[in-house]
Amino acid sequence: AQKVTQAQTEISVVEKEDVTLDCVYETRDTTYYLFWYKQPPSGELVFLIRRNSFDEQNEISGRYSWNFQKSTSSFNFTITASQVVDSAVYFCALGNTGGFKTIFGAGTRLFVKA
Amino acid sequence: DTGVSQDPRHKITKRGQNVTFRCDPISEHNRLYWYRQTLGQGPEFLTYFQNEAQLEKSRLLSDRFSAERPKGSFSTLEIQRTEQGDSAMYLCASSVTGAAETQYFGPGTRLLVL
């Protein structure tokens, strides 16, 4: 069965702190995709990144970075120098190669205090 | 290029009434998905269309739920005889068929059944 676990329900940090959101997944597929989405208070899910199972290179985009480790089935997300605007719920998700069935974790709510 | 749009954004109804939601995907996207999200949870897959064909339905989609995408463009999701347990955010997403699909989400329709 496919499953995504985000063990951190809520995280609270002070602005400018670094924060890492954990994601652990389970799948029997050899080819799959991993995603991170951000859901701000407005409610719309915003796509952040996609990774396929064959590409374990870490990625950095501005203050965001992602660490994909197939050996531990983890796809963690780090925000460097957090800002108040980063406050949102962040979802990790697992997709199959057909793309149609994406399994989401329960989300991590991030509070960044000024 | 406009994103995915959903209408209405909010709906309050009484138990037993029927409701219908509309989703307009990104114009060149041939795949369309419906998800349901309850408080504190990630989105749960309900169904998806490739063009006008409904190719997959979740067991979450009871007989009271029906979705259509008659011309392969916009889609509607109807809930008949609503129950209080149907109260949730209903999210629509769209994507383009490909090896590494990313689903782009609309703002959602928040349903409250009284």
Side-chain angles (χ1 to χ4, degrees):
Chain A
Q2 295 191 316
K3 187 178 178 183
V4 175
T5 302
Q6 295 180 254
Q8 305 149 308
T9 307
E10 287 186 3
I11 300 175
S12 184
V13 298
V14 176
E15 209 170 18
K16 297 184 184 175
E17 282 186 24
D18 298 346
V19 58
T20 295
L21 310 182
D22 297 333
C23 173
V24 174
Y25 63 92
E26 294 175 30
T27 181
R28 292 180 182 172
D29 293 341
T30 53
T31 303
Y32 50 89
Y33 297 91
L34 296 163
F35 304 85
W36 276 95
Y37 285 86
K38 174 182 180 180
Q39 189 173 43
S42 60
E44 186 164 346
L45 279 160
V46 177
F47 166 74
L48 296 178
I49 190 172
R50 177 191 65 236
R51 251 314 175 243
N52 75 49
S53 51
F54 295 114
D55 183 1
E56 288 193 68
Q57 273 194 335
N58 292 329
E59 181 158 338
I60 298 175
S61 176
R63 297 184 298 107
Y64 294 170
S65 62
W66 291 270
N67 183 321
F68 176 28
Q69 292 198 341
K70 213 167 174 179
S71 60
T72 56
S73 298
S74 65
F75 185 44
N76 296 337
F77 172 30
T78 297
I79 303 174
T80 302
S82 59
Q83 299 176 359
V84 172
V85 293
D86 296 328
S87 296
V89 181
Y90 290 87
F91 291 97
C92 179
L94 170 67
N96 61 2
T97 52
F100 65 83
K101 204 165 190 176
T102 302
I103 307 297
F104 285 79
T108 297
R109 183 177 294 277
L110 175 65
F111 294 99
V112 182
K113 297 179 284 189
Chain B
D1 184 26
T2 57
V4 178
S5 62
Q6 292 186 246
D7 184 69
R9 295 291 307 276
H10 303 273
K11 179 72 178 178
I12 300 175
T13 191
K14 293 183 179 177
R15 192 163 44 117
Q17 298 293 305
N18 299 345
V19 294
T20 300
F21 309 142
R22 177 178 168 126
C23 171
D24 287 87
I26 294 171
S27 58
E28 67 270 21
H29 285 189
N30 61 333
R31 287 190 172 180
L32 186 148
Y33 312 78
W34 286 99
Y35 289 82
R36 183 173 68 185
Q37 185 180 19
T38 53
L39 276 176
Q41 299 298 316
E44 295 173 292
F45 171 81
L46 292 178
T47 188
Y48 103 102
F49 293 83
Q50 178 155 312
N51 301 312
E52 65 276 6
Q54 188 173 19
L55 297 185
E56 180 81 10
K57 289 197 291 187
S58 162
R59 279 173 286 182
L60 291 174
L61 215 64
S62 76
D63 292 344
R64 296 183 298 104
F65 288 70
S66 62
E68 293 183 345
R69 194 182 182 199
K71 296 182 181 179
S73 55
F74 72 91
S75 174
T76 57
L77 177 68
E78 181 183 18
I79 309 175
Q80 295 183 326
R81 304 181 304 281
T82 52
E83 301 173 356
Q84 287 184 326
D86 297 330
S87 296
M89 173 82 91
Y90 290 85
L91 294 163
C92 176
S94 69
S95 70
V96 173
T97 306
E101 292 186 35
T102 298
Q103 296 177 23
Y104 294 89
F105 283 79
T109 294
R110 189 172 294 281
L111 173 67
L112 177 61
V113 182
L114 301 175

PDB file of all heavy atoms in Angstrom, chain B residues 48-61:
ATOM      1  N   TYR B  48     -10.961  10.821 -11.194  1.00  0.00           N
ATOM      2  CA  TYR B  48     -10.242  11.601 -12.186  1.00  0.00           C
ATOM      3  C   TYR B  48     -10.729  11.287 -13.594  1.00  0.00           C
ATOM      4  O   TYR B  48     -11.284  10.212 -13.851  1.00  0.00           O
ATOM      5  CB  TYR B  48      -8.731  11.417 -12.058  1.00  0.00           C
ATOM      6  CG  TYR B  48      -8.062  10.506 -13.059  1.00  0.00           C
ATOM      7  CD1 TYR B  48      -7.362  11.046 -14.139  1.00  0.00           C
ATOM      8  CD2 TYR B  48      -8.081   9.136 -12.897  1.00  0.00           C
ATOM      9  CE1 TYR B  48      -6.716  10.229 -15.038  1.00  0.00           C
ATOM     10  CE2 TYR B  48      -7.429   8.310 -13.794  1.00  0.00           C
ATOM     11  CZ  TYR B  48      -6.744   8.855 -14.865  1.00  0.00           C
ATOM     12  OH  TYR B  48      -6.098   8.046 -15.753  1.00  0.00           O
ATOM     13  N   PHE B  49     -10.565  12.260 -14.461  1.00  0.00           N
ATOM     14  CA  PHE B  49     -10.967  12.162 -15.856  1.00  0.00           C
ATOM     15  C   PHE B  49      -9.749  12.367 -16.758  1.00  0.00           C
ATOM     16  O   PHE B  49      -8.895  13.201 -16.473  1.00  0.00           O
ATOM     17  CB  PHE B  49     -11.971  13.271 -16.206  1.00  0.00           C
ATOM     18  CG  PHE B  49     -13.289  13.143 -15.526  1.00  0.00           C
ATOM     19  CD1 PHE B  49     -13.469  13.615 -14.233  1.00  0.00           C
ATOM     20  CD2 PHE B  49     -14.378  12.572 -16.181  1.00  0.00           C
ATOM     21  CE1 PHE B  49     -14.690  13.515 -13.604  1.00  0.00           C
ATOM     22  CE2 PHE B  49     -15.597  12.459 -15.558  1.00  0.00           C
ATOM     23  CZ  PHE B  49     -15.761  12.929 -14.271  1.00  0.00           C
ATOM     24  N   GLN B  50      -9.733  11.604 -17.829  1.00  0.00           N
ATOM     25  CA  GLN B  50      -8.825  11.920 -18.923  1.00  0.00           C
ATOM     26  C   GLN B  50      -9.725  12.313 -20.082  1.00  0.00           C
ATOM     27  O   GLN B  50     -10.502  11.482 -20.579  1.00  0.00           O
ATOM     28  CB  GLN B  50      -7.944  10.741 -19.288  1.00  0.00           C
ATOM     29  CG  GLN B  50      -7.036  11.065 -20.458  1.00  0.00           C
ATOM     30  CD  GLN B  50      -5.787  10.224 -20.499  1.00  0.00           C
ATOM     31  OE1 GLN B  50      -5.101  10.081 -19.495  1.00  0.00           O
ATOM     32  NE2 GLN B  50      -5.498   9.650 -21.654  1.00  0.00           N
ATOM     33  N   ASN B  51      -9.624  13.549 -20.492  1.00  0.00           N
ATOM     34  CA  ASN B  51     -10.596  14.127 -21.430  1.00  0.00           C
ATOM     35  C   ASN B  51     -11.986  13.940 -20.821  1.00  0.00           C
ATOM     36  O   ASN B  51     -12.203  14.322 -19.683  1.00  0.00           O
ATOM     37  CB  ASN B  51     -10.431  13.503 -22.802  1.00  0.00           C
ATOM     38  CG  ASN B  51      -9.029  13.735 -23.334  1.00  0.00           C
ATOM     39  OD1 ASN B  51      -8.525  14.872 -23.297  1.00  0.00           O
ATOM     40  ND2 ASN B  51      -8.369  12.692 -23.798  1.00  0.00           N
ATOM     41  N   GLU B  52     -12.913  13.325 -21.554  1.00  0.00           N
ATOM     42  CA  GLU B  52     -14.265  13.207 -20.995  1.00  0.00           C
ATOM     43  C   GLU B  52     -14.491  11.885 -20.269  1.00  0.00           C
ATOM     44  O   GLU B  52     -15.550  11.678 -19.672  1.00  0.00           O
ATOM     45  CB  GLU B  52     -15.310  13.378 -22.104  1.00  0.00           C
ATOM     46  CG  GLU B  52     -15.304  12.279 -23.169  1.00  0.00           C
ATOM     47  CD  GLU B  52     -14.274  12.527 -24.245  1.00  0.00           C
ATOM     48  OE1 GLU B  52     -13.480  13.483 -24.121  1.00  0.00           O
ATOM     49  OE2 GLU B  52     -14.257  11.754 -25.213  1.00  0.00           O
ATOM     50  N   ALA B  53     -13.514  10.996 -20.296  1.00  0.00           N
ATOM     51  CA  ALA B  53     -13.673   9.671 -19.701  1.00  0.00           C
ATOM     52  C   ALA B  53     -13.286   9.667 -18.225  1.00  0.00           C
ATOM     53  O   ALA B  53     -12.190  10.093 -17.862  1.00  0.00           O
ATOM     54  CB  ALA B  53     -12.820   8.669 -20.470  1.00  0.00           C
ATOM     55  N   GLN B  54     -14.194   9.152 -17.404  1.00  0.00           N
ATOM     56  CA  GLN B  54     -13.899   9.006 -15.975  1.00  0.00           C
ATOM     57  C   GLN B  54     -13.193   7.668 -15.792  1.00  0.00           C
ATOM     58  O   GLN B  54     -13.793   6.599 -15.958  1.00  0.00           O
ATOM     59  CB  GLN B  54     -15.202   9.038 -15.169  1.00  0.00           C
ATOM     60  CG  GLN B  54     -14.978   9.085 -13.675  1.00  0.00           C
ATOM     61  CD  GLN B  54     -16.287   9.284 -12.899  1.00  0.00           C
ATOM     62  OE1 GLN B  54     -17.371   9.051 -13.420  1.00  0.00           O
ATOM     63  NE2 GLN B  54     -16.185   9.730 -11.658  1.00  0.00           N
ATOM     64  N   LEU B  55     -11.926   7.705 -15.460  1.00  0.00           N
ATOM     65  CA  LEU B  55     -11.102   6.500 -15.482  1.00  0.00           C
ATOM     66  C   LEU B  55     -10.889   5.857 -14.121  1.00  0.00           C
ATOM     67  O   LEU B  55     -10.476   4.702 -14.048  1.00  0.00           O
ATOM     68  CB  LEU B  55      -9.746   6.810 -16.125  1.00  0.00           C
ATOM     69  CG  LEU B  55      -9.785   7.255 -17.583  1.00  0.00           C
ATOM     70  CD1 LEU B  55      -8.373   7.413 -18.128  1.00  0.00           C
ATOM     71  CD2 LEU B  55     -10.572   6.261 -18.426  1.00  0.00           C
ATOM     72  N   GLU B  56     -11.129   6.573 -13.072  1.00  0.00           N
ATOM     73  CA  GLU B  56     -10.878   5.999 -11.748  1.00  0.00           C
ATOM     74  C   GLU B  56     -11.781   6.677 -10.737  1.00  0.00           C
ATOM     75  O   GLU B  56     -11.977   7.889 -10.784  1.00  0.00           O
ATOM     76  CB  GLU B  56      -9.409   6.219 -11.351  1.00  0.00           C
ATOM     77  CG  GLU B  56      -9.013   5.673  -9.995  1.00  0.00           C
ATOM     78  CD  GLU B  56      -8.733   4.187 -10.006  1.00  0.00           C
ATOM     79  OE1 GLU B  56      -8.661   3.607 -11.099  1.00  0.00           O
ATOM     80  OE2 GLU B  56      -8.572   3.620  -8.907  1.00  0.00           O
ATOM     81  N   LYS B  57     -12.338   5.858  -9.849  1.00  0.00           N
ATOM     82  CA  LYS B  57     -13.163   6.393  -8.761  1.00  0.00           C
ATOM     83  C   LYS B  57     -12.730   5.765  -7.452  1.00  0.00           C
ATOM     84  O   LYS B  57     -12.546   4.558  -7.367  1.00  0.00           O
ATOM     85  CB  LYS B  57     -14.639   6.070  -9.004  1.00  0.00           C
ATOM     86  CG  LYS B  57     -15.260   6.857 -10.132  1.00  0.00           C
ATOM     87  CD  LYS B  57     -16.774   6.836 -10.083  1.00  0.00           C
ATOM     88  CE  LYS B  57     -17.343   5.484 -10.402  1.00  0.00           C
ATOM     89  NZ  LYS B  57     -18.828   5.544 -10.497  1.00  0.00           N
ATOM     90  N   SER B  58     -12.612   6.582  -6.446  1.00  0.00           N
ATOM     91  CA  SER B  58     -12.251   6.087  -5.125  1.00  0.00           C
ATOM     92  C   SER B  58     -13.462   5.447  -4.464  1.00  0.00           C
ATOM     93  O   SER B  58     -14.614   5.786  -4.774  1.00  0.00           O
ATOM     94  CB  SER B  58     -11.750   7.259  -4.283  1.00  0.00           C
ATOM     95  OG  SER B  58     -11.780   6.952  -2.921  1.00  0.00           O
ATOM     96  N   ARG B  59     -13.183   4.577  -3.508  1.00  0.00           N
ATOM     97  CA  ARG B  59     -14.282   4.005  -2.727  1.00  0.00           C
ATOM     98  C   ARG B  59     -14.950   5.068  -1.863  1.00  0.00           C
ATOM     99  O   ARG B  59     -16.041   4.868  -1.339  1.00  0.00           O
ATOM    100  CB  ARG B  59     -13.755   2.877  -1.849  1.00  0.00           C
ATOM    101  CG  ARG B  59     -13.597   1.570  -2.614  1.00  0.00           C
ATOM    102  CD  ARG B  59     -12.928   0.525  -1.766  1.00  0.00           C
ATOM    103  NE  ARG B  59     -11.504   0.783  -1.610  1.00  0.00           N
ATOM    104  CZ  ARG B  59     -10.680  -0.008  -0.935  1.00  0.00           C
ATOM    105  NH1 ARG B  59     -11.122  -1.070  -0.338  1.00  0.00           N
ATOM    106  NH2 ARG B  59      -9.401   0.282  -0.848  1.00  0.00           N
ATOM    107  N   LEU B  60     -14.263   6.205  -1.697  1.00  0.00           N
ATOM    108  CA  LEU B  60     -14.867   7.307  -0.943  1.00  0.00           C
ATOM    109  C   LEU B  60     -16.069   7.887  -1.683  1.00  0.00           C
ATOM    110  O   LEU B  60     -16.930   8.533  -1.086  1.00  0.00           O
ATOM    111  CB  LEU B  60     -13.835   8.429  -0.740  1.00  0.00           C
ATOM    112  CG  LEU B  60     -12.657   8.152   0.181  1.00  0.00           C
ATOM    113  CD1 LEU B  60     -11.682   9.318   0.133  1.00  0.00           C
ATOM    114  CD2 LEU B  60     -13.137   7.931   1.601  1.00  0.00           C
ATOM    115  N   LEU B  61     -16.109   7.676  -2.975  1.00  0.00           N
ATOM    116  CA  LEU B  61     -17.162   8.255  -3.796  1.00  0.00           C
ATOM    117  C   LEU B  61     -18.398   7.358  -3.732  1.00  0.00           C
ATOM    118  O   LEU B  61     -18.532   6.406  -4.493  1.00  0.00           O
ATOM    119  CB  LEU B  61     -16.656   8.380  -5.231  1.00  0.00           C
ATOM    120  CG  LEU B  61     -17.127   9.581  -6.041  1.00  0.00           C
ATOM    121  CD1 LEU B  61     -16.621  10.870  -5.436  1.00  0.00           C
ATOM    122  CD2 LEU B  61     -16.661   9.468  -7.475  1.00  0.00           C
TER     123      LEU B  61
END
